[in-house]
Amino acid sequence: MIRTILRVARVPLLVLAVALGCGPAGVFADDSSTQHWKGVVTLPGGMKLDFTVNLGPDGGRISIPMQGARDLPLRNGAADGNSLKFTLAAPGAPENAWAKFDMTVSDDGAQAEGTLSQAGQQFPVSMTRLTAEQAAATELKRPQTPVPPLPYEERAVEFKSEAGGVTIAGTLTVPVGDGPHPAVVLITGSGAQD
């Protein structure tokens, strides 16, 4: 399991988890097709956190580009009339740490307004429904993601501090060929490091 916590203005937002078996798919009473949404959470200080959601009878997925999160599984998704709900749940985390979206959909089905509740706090959320074509166009493109065969070696490394009782692990990438090679240390924050 990978957990990421984004802290913006000292407010924990969206404890994200990438895990299998995140829970029941949910109920979509009024529409058996997948619903595509693009949304924004308004954080303290007016900062905006963009996300996309794909919801359907077989489950749902959320992507949050600012956190490097893509296609995280959702649970408890339900769309019924003007109500739309879904939850981003971190396995093993207490339920109050889950990110729960509770939205009211406009009569024309094109917009939704509501709240994200997490850890006793609430944040305003607005969403716009997308067509399948629009959703495909907003998909996070990562042309920089390397595809094998790679022009370098990857090695898993581990450093143990006996005095501190801490182990730090990471991936060492080494160019092919004789060195010496310059070195860079990348220390990740929220989201994926690639």
Side-chain angles (χ1 to χ4, degrees), residues 118-139:
Q118 185 181 28
Q121 299 180 62
Q122 291 192 333
F123 308 95
V125 178
S126 61
M127 299 190 324
T128 302
R129 191 160 180 183
L130 304 174
T131 65
E133 294 79 23
Q134 290 170 323
T138 62
E139 208 172 288

Side-chain angles (χ1 to χ4, degrees), residues 94-112:
E95 190 172 343
N96 74 339
W98 296 357
K100 297 179 182 181
F101 292 78
D102 189 353
M103 310 298 295
T104 300
V105 180
S106 62
D107 289 337
D108 65 1
Q111 303 290 321

Side-chain angles (χ1 to χ4, degrees), residues 130-169:
L130 304 174
T131 65
E133 294 79 23
Q134 290 170 323
T138 62
E139 208 172 288
L140 186 60
K141 306 287 191 271
R142 293 197 172 273
Q144 78 276 20
T145 301
V147 178
L150 303 173
Y152 52 83
E153 291 181 41
E154 291 183 311
R155 302 177 196 154
V157 294
E158 217 175 68
F159 301 94
K160 293 183 181 181
S161 168
E162 300 299 330
V166 175
T167 300
I168 298 174

